[in-house]
Amino acid sequence: MDEAPLNGVSAPGRVAAEGEGISIEELALAARNHGLPLEALRYEVTPPGLHYVLVHYDIPCIPDADAGPGPGPGADGWRLGVGGRVRTPLSLDLADLRALPAVTRRVTMECAGNGRARLAPRPVSQPWLVEAVGTADWTGVPLRTVLAEAGVLPEAVEAVFTGADHGVERGVEQDYRRSLPLPVATGTDPEVLLAYAMNGAPLPPQHGFPLRLVVPGWYGMAHVKWLRDITLADGPFTGFQQAVAYRYRRTAEDPGEPVTRIAPRALMVPPGFPDFMSRVRVVRPGPVRLEGRAWSGYGPVTRVEVSGDGGRTWADAEVAAREPGGWAWQAWSAPWTAVPGSHTLVVRATDAAGRSQPLEQPWNRGGFGNNLVQRVPVVVLPGDDRA
Amino acid sequence: MDEAPLNGVSAPGRVAAEGEGISIEELALAARNHGLPLEALRYEVTPPGLHYVLVHYDIPCIPDADAGPGPGPGADGWRLGVGGRVRTPLSLDLADLRALPAVTRRVTMECAGNGRARLAPRPVSQPWLVEAVGTADWTGVPLRTVLAEAGVLPEAVEAVFTGADHGVERGVEQDYRRSLPLPVATGTDPEVLLAYAMNGAPLPPQHGFPLRLVVPGWYGMAHVKWLRDITLADGPFTGFQQAVAYRYRRTAEDPGEPVTRIAPRALMVPPGFPDFMSRVRVVRPGPVRLEGRAWSGYGPVTRVEVSGDGGRTWADAEVAAREPGGWAWQAWSAPWTAVPGSHTLVVRATDAAGRSQPLEQPWNRGGFGNNLVQRVPVVVLPGDDRA
């Protein structure tokens, strides 16, 4: 294909200049993709429509996607191909997948770009602040069940997953495509799923109807939506989303390291009530129970600390245990006494692998894995006329 | 209350300076509120989670809001009060409301601020581009049924609706509250609903669980969510959301005109496939069927015109008829031949009241009702190697 027509349509990645405001292009992405309103951290399972959504291109048109909940819409014409280095290539429809033994897993999912728009300098892409997260119950078939049925040949080292969404990115026309190393694809902890239901209903269109990959503990880019093909390969996949995007790099030339598991993070339900425009929190004086959720893709969160003074002093929060083998966030809570004046609340998670959230921003050119601690400015009102 | 503590938290409304980029505060609103990804215009009824959402403050915590679909969550402790200038004040729970004769209406809802961020100069608030719209089937009790039960006294002229969401806006601490003139509140076309179900399921938290007002044909600010009180008043309501916000004004001092019904608009499902970052559309050469939806709060859309050359020439699209008494968008479609090169597609609606979308931007200080025509830049690829 002559690439000239795409000049001006699809530019290379870039970093915003110092003081450069959010562009209309970044805003257009923020308007069509969806974040979790932070007060919805109060729900253990994110209610439908509040889970974060990031769509690279368009939500593809899969027939029957709008049929709604019920005994399984048909996804007319859709099939999942399994091929490449396998003994028996497969072509499965939804009924075939539903006939296999199903499991349900509660999984916290986060976009690898979460926190990007708080970086300085700011990588120009989907401008998440801190809200690209959600938790759902996913039901489906373990990937290794289907791979066992196909019979993976000894020379296979990776499984490559292709979604039905199609677009251009940084000059490259593509279907969205990612791979997993075979030991991850066939692992048992986490157990990778081919999920056809979310919270007990067929997948909504924006979450991958009729089928998506779920890779517990990994950032969202691994959970390929609108999955239509799995190809077993005898070498590492070098497609755009693997070798160009989703790498931790310092410079455009740096080959970088792949983005994989979710770095630890704790978020707080912002206390009190907000100002509409600034979102600063207004809190009445007195005792307040701070609460939120914490998670990590490297293991259970073992410690959550809270600061009421911008990070000068810290106190341990209570943290709920993680379900064994589970990959969902954990509730935490801590008491705090609201004293009139301005304060900055900060919360910080540490996981069983010893990873803690940084107090100073990490930085990489793609703006991935920015798990800088959350800072919540609050104004506590005087206690005058309300006693 | 001493207002000094809110200085610096809650600023007056303002208009961005020339060339001023989108601020982090505007981005924070864009990240937590949700737009309709334009490809979802393909669905007559917007799938759950893709309908636009605008929350002024926080989604309030109403017990059982997370109980999910089923035979009616209880909304423990929640009641709807009906009082003021009525013969018999009422206090109703969900079971009381469900016991009354129910109706279901398909309604297209749009935020009054849709299009704000495309204005120059840009009013600083929730920065919608064009995507703050959605269509749902709302089930509930006609408001006039409940008002008749309470017995509206002759001196009542307005009904004032109070939601459970609480916050600060432009320095004013408030529960979200709006009024309707009595003839609108008790009208039959449109018929105002007290809705407890959306698309056959209990309202999701972000859409007003357990009860919201639905005012077909009016912008979203009228459809009060998390409704907890209706008070009949003998004079016009002068609260913040009625007398300060949601008015068409040229200057801060201008008393302005109230924002009420939805101005006509047509939107297109963007053809082809997008570039991830610029969202510019890439289209293969040849015949293309353009399609989308059009709506107006002043009556049926009677004409949709499409331009393939940025508005120099226009052709009529086919427009589906609106259901009698219905307030849902209407499908439209038009043929277009994609010829290699760069083009700007434009679409324009006209309604039965003779209102057409403007080709030059309207402007008001709040950025309300900006129904400027949609312009969709497309690049058509050469037809070389794909024939």
Side-chain angles (χ1 to χ4, degrees), chain B residues 122-141:
Chain B
R122 182 180 81 252
V124 174
S125 183
Q126 164 70 37
W128 296 120
L129 293 162
V130 76
E131 61 291 289
V133 67
T135 294
D137 289 334
W138 300 97
T139 300
V141 183

Side-chain angles (χ1 to χ4, degrees), chain A residues 85-349:
Chain A
R85 303 293 175 162
V86 296
R87 258 194 313 276
T88 315
L90 305 175
S91 172
L92 307 169
D93 64 15
L94 266 188
D96 296 329
L97 288 165
R98 287 171 189 278
L100 295 168
V103 297
T104 296
R105 296 278 181 263
R106 184 161 297 177
V107 175
T108 294
M109 212 179 277
E110 182 176 8
C111 186
N114 202 11
R116 177 183 290 125
R118 296 194 299 161
L119 290 173
R122 183 180 79 251
V124 174
S125 182
Q126 164 70 35
W128 296 119
L129 291 162
V130 74
E131 61 291 290
V133 67
T135 295
D137 289 334
W138 300 97
T139 300
V141 183
L143 174 59
R144 62 202 162 86
T145 304
V146 171
L147 293 185
E149 197 165 304
V152 176
L153 295 173
E155 64 267 30
V157 296
E158 288 201 349
V160 182
F161 305 91
T162 304
D165 50 333
H166 184 88
V168 185
E169 199 163 341
R170 313 299 184 199
V172 182
E173 186 180 339
Q174 60 190 288
D175 289 342
Y176 188 84
R177 188 173 283 140
R178 287 272 311 176
S179 76
L180 288 175
L182 204 58
V184 175
T186 58
T188 55
D189 187 25
E191 183 174 61
V192 179
L193 295 188
L194 297 169
Y196 48 71
M198 181 185 188
N199 301 331
L203 301 184
Q206 70 273 31
H207 289 292
F209 178 89
L211 193 74
R212 77 176 301 172
L213 205 62
V214 172
V215 188
W218 285 49
Y219 281 118
M221 78 282 150
H223 306 237
V224 178
K225 293 189 275 194
W226 312 292
L227 187 62
R228 60 174 184 76
D229 186 80
I230 304 173
T231 296
L232 281 293
D234 60 2
F237 174 61
T238 58
F240 179 88
Q241 302 293 347
Q242 206 84 17
V244 181
Y246 293 115
R247 298 188 79 88
Y248 294 109
R249 318 175 189 267
R250 301 291 307 176
T251 64
E253 297 71 35
D254 177 6
E257 291 298 317
V259 177
T260 58
R261 289 172 183 263
I262 299 174
R265 190 192 298 271
L267 288 178
M268 182 185 302
V269 177
F273 53 86
D275 175 65
F276 171 72
M277 192 63 225
S278 70
R279 300 304 300 173
V280 170
R281 311 300 300 191
V282 181
V283 178
R284 310 231 186 267
V288 173
R289 186 165 166 263
L290 301 177
E291 53 185 4
R293 311 271 170 189
W295 62 94
S296 166
Y298 292 92
V301 169
T302 48
R303 188 177 193 188
V304 172
E305 297 158 277
V306 172
S307 171
D309 55 13
R312 283 195 305 123
T313 63
W314 296 86
D316 278 319
E318 272 187 61
V319 188
R322 193 170 79 164
E323 231 178 279
W327 291 93
W329 53 24
Q330 297 160 250
W332 62 263
S333 69
W336 175 62
T337 302
V339 173
S342 291
H343 309 275
T344 299
L345 306 176
V346 195
V347 59
R348 183 187 202 195

